[in-house]
Amino acid sequence: MMQDENSRAEIWYNTPAQDQDVVVSTRVRLARNLASFPFPLNSKSDEFDRVQNIVFDAFSKFNHPDNYQIMALKNLDTNGEKILGERGLFDGTSGTGLITTLDGISACIVNDCDHVRISSFAPGLELEKAYERAEDIDNQMQQFVQFAASRDFGYLTSSVFNAGSGMKTSLRLHLPSLSFSGEIRDVVKQVYEKNYTFADCYGVGSFFNSALGAYYQVSSISSMAGSEIDQLASMSAVGKFICDLERKKRAEYADNKPTVVHNIVVRAYSLAKFTILLELRDCIDIISCLKWGLDLGFIAGVEDYELNSLLYRVQPGHLGYLLKTNDFNFEEDVENDAQLKENRLRAIILKSTVEKISFVS
């Protein structure tokens, strides 16, 4: 039987939260640098080692050190890098060390653009919860590590945009109604006017004439726009503003074009249920369409968080982990082809979720 680590309830992205019909997840990141050390861009190898040792030692003295996994990134294999990247913990470009909580909610990367970058995640629109987790790590670290700061500029960082609170926030959003209608362009403009960036999560798609699967990420630009509380409130307001726009447009489709959208959902359901091999891009589009149908009230039997969690579970790194740790009986012409095995397993995982779906009459 397949042992899927992502099916466990304690995985943060597989739990219910508020506003999950629009907001897939929340991230809060804190940038810090150790006093008396140059920024990583100007550091030498021995300074990288010293900083990493100081940070690792600090975590070993936390209240519950067994809740953290400490690793040197040079010891991480390729598939491990993929999994961490898919979960937003590591982008694979820089850093020498990584500390993660066992539940995967929080992480601290060492010697990236800054000496320390603490990230914390939450499902849905849960900025306060994500911040509290990151703040707890930050507070514990400051018992053992002196961070570079000044009265005039706050925390000192390698980029002026990260100085001040050192905090950046971001939201991952699902906006199929605004994308399908073409109104997403106006939303992008309004978000930029509020001093936030707006980007696609998985690249450019074709079905929604916008981002693949209509998944986007809204991120803060500067860490100097007020206190942490001010910045959290501002991002929360932006998130709720976008939620309202998407829900209003969704209601218009439900009232005025139900057949058009219903057809899109039925096609996605059919592909998910009967396809044998499934590439990642197609899978993201299918998940998006099914989620749209769920939030429109066309289908039942699954929850938003289950479909959101699929976005992680069907990624190459996570599938690679399953292929290494489980025995599968693939078709003869699939067994010896790594890409076909990945596509086959992706189809199996998606189908297992879709089998619970029923259409609302």
Side-chain angles (χ1 to χ4, degrees), residues 19-55:
D19 297 309
Q20 279 183 313
D21 60 318
V22 179
V23 184
V24 176
S25 63
T26 297
R27 185 185 76 166
V28 171
R29 192 214 69 200
L30 303 177
R32 302 285 188 261
N33 285 281
L34 275 62
S36 303
F37 284 90
F39 292 141
L41 292 176
N42 297 315
S43 293
K44 299 176 182 178
S45 60
D46 64 320
E47 290 169 329
F48 281 134
D49 293 339
R50 290 168 61 195
V51 168
Q52 179 169 293
N53 290 336
I54 291 171
V55 174

Side-chain angles (χ1 to χ4, degrees), residues 296-312:
L296 279 160
F298 292 165
I299 62 175
V302 293
E303 301 292 340
D304 278 305
Y305 72 86
E306 295 179 88
L307 296 177
N308 289 342
S309 72
L310 280 175
L311 295 170
Y312 298 89

Side-chain angles (χ1 to χ4, degrees), residues 25 212 221 352:
S25 63
L212 179 63
I221 295 175
S352 68

Side-chain angles (χ1 to χ4, degrees), residues 50-62 65 70 99 141 144-145:
R50 290 168 61 195
V51 168
Q52 179 169 293
N53 290 336
I54 291 171
V55 174
F56 282 5
D57 182 64
F59 272 88
S60 71
K61 298 174 182 176
F62 276 19
I70 299 174
I99 304 99
M141 284 196 70
F144 311 105
V145 177

Side-chain angles (χ1 to χ4, degrees), residues 239-256:
K240 291 185 180 299
F241 167 73
I242 297 175
C243 284
D244 288 342
L245 292 177
E246 171 65 22
R247 288 165 183 157
K248 288 177 181 177
K249 180 54 60 176
R250 184 196 303 159
E252 289 181 21
Y253 274 112
D255 292 338
N256 302 321

